[in-house]
Amino acid sequence: MLSLRPIRRFCYSAAAAISSTDSPAAVSNRVLNQKPLEEPALAKLKAERDPEKLFNLFKANARNRLVIENRFAFEDTISRLAGARRFDYIEHLLEHQKTLPQGRREGFIIRIIMLYGKAGMTKHAVDTFNDMHMYGCKRTVKSFNAALKVLTETCDLEAIKAFLSEVPEKFDIILDIFSVNIIIKAFCKMSILDKAYLVMIQMERLGIRPDVVTYTTLISAFYKNDRWEISNGLWNLMVLKGCLPNLSTFNVRIQHLVNIRQSWQANEVMLLMERIGISPDEVTYNLVIKGFGQAGYLEMARRVYSALHGKGYKPNVKIYQTMIHCLCKGGEFDLAYTMCKDCMKKSWFLNVDTIHTLLDGLKKNGQLDKAKMIVTLAQRRMPPFSSKQLSIFDSLLSRS
């Protein structure tokens, strides 16, 4: 917490400087003659676009607590330097940060590990973890997990195996459920699903109980690889062991049902969620609307869209996109136009194919004025549609 003492001292000094004997004119002259306050370092960092100037500015404020304790300023600076491929600057800044008093805090070192990871500097991230004792910083499973997460982003299976086999024993680290979930997610990403499943089984034997994240990650991966029978088995195993599915788990199941064109079953799962006290979110509604739209049940899609409002949600751009696509597919171009106009006025824009379909339908229905309104709104998009995309809209309207 920031101390109030400097603020109080400043207020007291200011009050003493303007004594009761001073005239208003004298006070006014003194205030006008004061030098303007220098722009805060955080504002300067945010505004600077030149990589070299950004580096020098951050370096000049390397001991400014307002800068180094500000997570956004730190991450934004490293991100922009990485975008400019100035990895030498990143190394210079982050290596210096380790020498500060904050370098003795594990949370601070974890931030440096993750920043190296975001910059794609994996070796620097792992070396930072290995060298933590050199900064007087205690190493726990939290920093281990940070280094592991960075390493798994490389999808280098041999490097991951070596890290897992050597590092925990070397530093007396005991893996936790977060470690297991990082490993399983990485193996799923690499499509080695059987190995990911075996990790869960092996860890459970060692006393690490899988949680809902573990099961959800595996269920999603097996569904995506068309191994639905294993996903369904994992769902049953999860419930049997007393680990209840959450919103994300249900959305994964609904996504699968929509993908295999089982829209009614997807709707039933959403109703089941409500019965057991799990509120569907915008993702859930969007998936069910999409499912009914794909199957040609436009009226059901509209009912789900109405239910969304009844539950107090407001449609986001993805729901607008899905619903307008369904309406165009069903030939309801008037309602599609109204929704599209409402969406665009919120600075949300549909994809080019959906806009093209809507324009084509409005033109065929003789509603050229409405089509022109959509094109006018599309021209205001920021960042703008490409000139080629806008020319496609214009040529559609000008075509006889």
Side-chain angles (χ1 to χ4, degrees):
M1 183 179 293
L2 292 174
S3 172
L4 294 178
R5 289 177 184 172
I7 298 174
R8 287 172 181 158
R9 284 200 297 269
F10 172 79
C11 293
Y12 178 82
S13 300
I18 305 176
S19 66
S20 58
T21 58
D22 283 340
S23 67
V27 172
S28 177
N29 287 334
R30 209 161 31 238
V31 170
L32 289 173
N33 289 330
Q34 287 178 353
K35 292 182 179 179
L37 290 173
E38 187 178 357
E39 187 179 11
L42 289 174
K44 286 184 178 180
L45 284 168
K46 185 177 180 181
E48 187 56 66
R49 288 293 174 263
D50 180 85
E52 185 174 356
K53 290 180 180 178
L54 179 64
F55 164 72
N56 288 325
L57 183 58
F58 196 95
K59 186 179 177 182
N61 287 275
R63 293 183 177 275
N64 184 339
R65 288 180 62 88
L66 290 177
V67 172
I68 62 177
E69 296 288 355
N70 186 296
R71 184 177 294 273
F72 173 79
F74 224 135
E75 292 181 356
D76 184 56
T77 299
I78 300 303
S79 176
R80 283 190 279 148
L81 290 175
R85 304 192 66 77
R86 293 311 306 257
F87 303 112
D88 54 335
Y89 287 168
I90 293 173
E91 181 179 8
H92 184 101
L93 292 178
L94 294 185
E95 290 303 310
H96 178 260
Q97 291 294 306
K98 296 176 187 178
T99 66
L100 301 180
Q102 288 87 343
R104 293 193 290 271
R105 294 201 324 249
E106 186 181 26
F108 192 78
I109 295 297
I110 287 174
R111 187 197 298 182
I112 292 175
I113 292 172
M114 299 305 293
L115 287 173
Y116 267 135
K118 288 182 180 179
M121 302 170 71
T122 306
K123 185 179 184 303
H124 289 77
V126 176
D127 286 347
T128 298
F129 169 76
N130 289 329
D131 297 340
M132 284 174 65
H133 58 281
M134 295 171 61
Y135 325 125
C137 183
K138 186 178 179 182
R139 197 184 283 104
T140 73
V141 70
K142 291 181 180 179
S143 48
F144 171 85
N145 288 342
L148 177 62
K149 184 171 177 60
V150 169
L151 190 58
T152 58
E153 292 297 323
T154 65
C155 294
D156 185 339
L157 186 57
E158 293 306 315
I160 296 168
K161 284 182 178 179
F163 188 81
L164 289 171
S165 63
E166 298 168 8
V167 172
E169 184 177 357
K170 180 180 178 181
F171 294 118
D172 196 24
I173 300 289
I174 299 175
L175 275 64
D176 61 10
I177 186 58
F178 298 102
S179 316
V180 174
N181 287 341
I182 291 168
I183 299 164
I184 288 175
K185 183 179 179 181
F187 286 175
C188 288
K189 183 180 177 182
M190 290 185 273
S191 296
I192 44 178
L193 306 189
D194 293 336
K195 191 177 290 292
Y197 176 76
L198 284 174
V199 169
M200 182 183 76
I201 300 301
Q202 290 166 357
M203 291 300 107
E204 193 168 15
R205 288 172 184 164
L206 294 174
I208 302 176
R209 185 179 179 184
D211 63 6
V212 67
V213 176
T214 317
Y215 285 110
T216 302
T217 302
L218 286 167
I219 289 169
S220 176
F222 280 107
Y223 273 145
K224 287 177 181 176
N225 285 268
D226 295 324
R227 298 172 69 179
W228 56 267
E229 68 284 355
I230 297 180
S231 292
N232 291 345
L234 283 165
W235 184 288
N236 294 334
L237 178 64
M238 171 177 62
V239 175
L240 183 66
K241 295 208 171 186
C243 180
L244 298 179
N246 62 12
L247 175 62
S248 296
T249 323
F250 274 105
N251 282 344
V252 163
R253 190 177 183 91
I254 290 172
Q255 174 76 74
H256 167 68
L257 292 170
V258 169
N259 289 345
I260 61 174
R261 300 295 195 270
Q262 293 188 5
S263 54
W264 289 100
Q265 289 89 333
N267 188 56
E268 287 173 7
V269 172
M270 183 172 71
L271 296 175
L272 171 63
M273 290 171 63
E274 295 175 326
R275 286 199 297 272
I276 65 174
I278 298 177
S279 299
D281 65 356
E282 290 91 340
V283 174
T284 320
Y285 283 109
N286 186 52
L287 287 169
V288 176
I289 291 169
K290 180 181 178 181
F292 281 128
Q294 287 176 341
Y297 297 112
L298 184 56
E299 182 55 35
M300 283 303 301
R302 291 175 66 167
R303 286 188 185 183
V304 176
Y305 181 78
S306 298
L308 166 83
H309 290 81
K311 295 291 183 180
Y313 290 107
K314 291 183 179 180
N316 57 25
V317 65
K318 290 186 177 179
I319 293 175
Y320 271 115
Q321 169 69 48
T322 302
M323 195 64 208
I324 293 167
H325 177 79
C326 292
L327 291 169
C328 289
K329 185 179 176 182
E332 296 197 20
F333 294 104
D334 279 335
L335 182 54
Y337 163 75
T338 302
M339 289 185 65
C340 184
K341 188 171 66 170
D342 182 42
C343 179
M344 287 181 166
K345 284 183 176 179
K346 294 177 180 177
S347 297
W348 296 341
F349 291 87
L350 314 178
N351 64 42
V352 174
D353 289 340
T354 302
I355 295 175
H356 189 279
T357 303
L358 175 58
L359 293 175
D360 191 45
L362 291 171
K363 184 182 175 184
K364 287 178 179 177
N365 286 352
Q367 297 171 302
L368 199 58
D369 288 343
K370 290 183 176 182
K372 287 179 178 178
M373 171 59 75
I374 295 299
V375 173
T376 300
L377 291 171
Q379 290 170 340
R380 299 175 186 171
R381 181 179 184 260
M382 292 302 294
F385 284 111
S386 69
S387 56
K388 182 179 179 181
Q389 291 167 334
L390 290 173
S391 66
I392 290 172
F393 299 155
D394 290 333
S395 63
L396 177 65
L397 297 188
S398 61
R399 209 178 300 149
S400 60

